[in-house]
Amino acid sequence: MVLAAVLTTGCRQDMHDQPKYIPLRESAFFSDARSARALVVGTVARGQLHEDAHLYTGKINGTDTAMFPFRIDSLVMARGQERFDIYCSPCHGRTGFGDGMVVRRGYRRPPSYHDDRLRKAPVGHFFDVISNGFGAMPDYAAQINVIDRWAIVAYVRALQLSEHATVADVPADQREQMRP
């Protein structure tokens, strides 16, 4: 008897036979006979309220922005370099010339960040390309969050400046460190 009681306690079907609605099945509970309910007007999923178009699209009034949506400091630059090295350098190379390891193995060569066309491009252009892709480049919106995309753009700007900087661009108090 004890053995039968122990063995049958694990045979309950409560979870298996629970009352539930299968999506798009008919329901007698609601007057419109639908089990699935329409979303309340104005509902926004958690994490999807993107009111700041400048931050989330890189555009102001539909045009690529020339300004960053937040202050760029050394922490943002360090994060941008880290994310660039992870996501961008396989194709673009560590210096932005488009000579990454993937390209050396036969993948299509991306343009150099040091071309005049891209040096003159607004920062919003780079943000848009990272977010939505362009040509052979896929979009990285799912892999790289918004703040990190902007940090990468800041680092790309630093790479561009590093290749075309003059001694006059170096602060006077730091020029002495450049002398041999």
Side-chain angles (χ1 to χ4, degrees):
M1 274 301 241
V2 175
L3 182 62
V6 170
L7 290 175
T8 59
T9 58
C11 295
R12 294 180 57 194
Q13 294 287 318
D14 293 346
M15 292 298 285
H16 180 70
D17 295 330
Q18 65 181 315
K20 63 183 174 220
Y21 285 114
I22 307 295
L24 304 178
R25 288 250 175 109
E26 187 174 354
S27 166
F29 184 78
F30 296 106
S31 61
D32 62 1
R34 297 183 318 172
S35 63
R37 310 310 309 149
L39 293 176
V40 176
V41 176
T43 301
V44 178
R46 181 179 295 171
Q48 299 301 312
L49 182 60
H50 299 159
E51 287 186 317
D52 187 351
H54 183 197
L55 177 66
Y56 287 99
T57 66
K59 298 180 185 304
I60 297 177
N61 298 324
T63 305
D64 289 338
T65 182
M67 302 178 312
F68 287 93
F70 53 85
R71 186 173 175 273
I72 304 300
D73 58 17
S74 61
L75 293 175
V76 172
M77 291 300 290
R79 180 69 175 184
Q81 180 179 11
E82 177 190 53
R83 300 287 98 183
F84 180 90
D85 289 346
I86 292 169
Y87 293 105
C88 309
S89 70
C91 293
H92 292 279
R94 294 266 179 137
T95 56
F97 281 102
D99 58 352
M101 188 55 66
V102 177
V103 173
R104 291 184 216 159
R105 297 207 164 122
Y107 196 75
R108 187 173 171 186
R109 184 181 191 95
S112 170
Y113 289 136
H114 307 292
D115 290 346
D116 285 340
R117 176 183 65 85
L118 291 178
R119 286 182 51 230
K120 293 176 185 172
V123 293
H125 168 76
F126 294 100
F127 182 84
D128 183 57
V129 170
I130 295 169
S131 301
N132 301 309
F134 185 83
M137 180 176 160
D139 67 276
Y140 280 86
Q143 294 93 336
I144 307 171
N145 71 46
V146 172
I147 302 299
D148 285 348
R149 281 181 258 160
W150 281 111
I152 290 170
V153 173
Y155 184 70
V156 167
R157 278 294 194 230
L159 285 176
Q160 290 173 326
L161 179 62
S162 72
E163 287 296 318
H164 296 90
T166 64
V167 174
D169 294 326
V170 178
D173 61 333
Q174 295 179 6
R175 287 183 194 160
E176 292 179 17
Q177 296 173 358
M178 295 174 51
R179 309 250 186 251

